[in-house]
Amino acid sequence: LPAGLGWALVFTPSLGTVGRYFPAQRSLATGLVVSGASVSGLALGPLVPLLLDTYGWRGALLLLAAISFNLVAAGALLRPLPVPSESPGPPRDPPGLVRLLRHGPFLRYTLAFVLVDAGYYVPFVHGAARAHEVGCDDHRAGLVMAAMAAVDGGGRVAAGWLAARPAAPLLRHLFAWAVLTGLTLLLLPLGTSFGGLLALALAYGFCAGALVPLQFAGVAEVVGAGRLVHAIGLMQMFESFGSLLGAPFAGWLRDMTGNYTISFLAAGAFLLAGSFLILTLPGFFHTSRGAGGKEGSPTPSP
């Protein structure tokens, strides 16, 4: 519990700060930042078993804690930056969280990612079991999962770079990647051999990775930069319900049906349902000004 709370207190302000540091290149900056999670995940995969064998679980936890303490130095380098619409004096509007809870586009955006997260993590949780189901041994099942995690980081950087191009509003990029992620998830049951499953896992990992930076950069398009940190934190709190329920629900479907086909189809349906909610956002069909648009924008008045 304390570790989860600590990571939450680090993750949200870090993303919010990056989004405010680089308003013109927010998608690319966010993509580069969150790609670090993929790199560390790949590094810790072989490192943790080695630490457990060498130092035992207590020693391994102490070493991981020592690594995590470097976040203190990294956090000390972050400095708050004012946005042009913010007044230097005391705020005269209702608290940010209260305004966000009355902000229609933000609530729809949050609901979209509650649905997305209900399906998003299913392949990462049940992918190895699915590989065993189609006849893969432990080595090949691990290879499928490692490949999916490896291309995840590439998808994050690529999506951030593409969204920084002025060809289309960011929300359209987000919608496109969300649909592609849902479709590849729907196709995963077609991978009935090692080669087929590996190819589909690579496609899913890349598309799923592409969603991450655009999700957080898109928050500024919906609510404006002035409430970015509040909005990301509140969105992630609600998202956690989808994340917690999705994988157990997929496991229950596996127990009921005897295989993972319906589990992956249901997960893909959740993703597509969430992606179509993005169509309802005010900034989707025109270039967003990043100020929150209609329906009670929480951007503070000068």
Side-chain angles (χ1 to χ4, degrees), residues 99-110 222 281-282 294-296:
R99 298 197 71 185
L100 285 171
L101 290 172
R102 300 198 307 241
H103 191 263
F106 171 72
L107 294 177
R108 294 198 298 274
Y109 192 81
T110 300
V222 176
L281 299 174
K294 308 172 185 175
E295 302 187 47

Side-chain angles (χ1 to χ4, degrees), residues 167-286:
L170 185 145
L171 291 177
R172 296 184 193 174
H173 285 266
L174 177 60
F175 171 75
W177 284 113
V179 170
L180 286 174
T181 306
L183 291 177
T184 53
L185 185 46
L186 289 175
L187 293 175
L188 272 177
L190 298 180
T192 56
S193 64
F194 170 69
L197 185 60
L198 179 62
L200 289 168
L202 286 169
Y204 180 78
F206 188 87
C207 295
L211 265 183
V212 177
L214 301 191
Q215 172 191 354
F216 296 111
V219 176
E221 298 291 314
V222 176
V223 304
R227 292 289 184 267
L228 189 56
V229 176
H230 287 158
I232 289 177
L234 192 59
M235 178 183 67
Q236 288 191 290
M237 183 187 74
F238 287 117
E239 271 188 278
S240 63
F241 293 103
S243 305
L244 289 171
L245 294 176
F249 179 65
W252 177 78
L253 288 176
R254 163 65 175 82
D255 292 339
M256 293 297 102
T257 61
N259 58 60
Y260 277 105
T261 299
I262 300 300
S263 300
F264 287 132
L265 292 178
F270 279 126
L271 263 160
L272 291 177
S275 67
F276 285 115
L277 269 178
I278 299 172
L279 293 172
T280 69
L281 299 174
F284 186 84
F285 293 103
H286 58 81

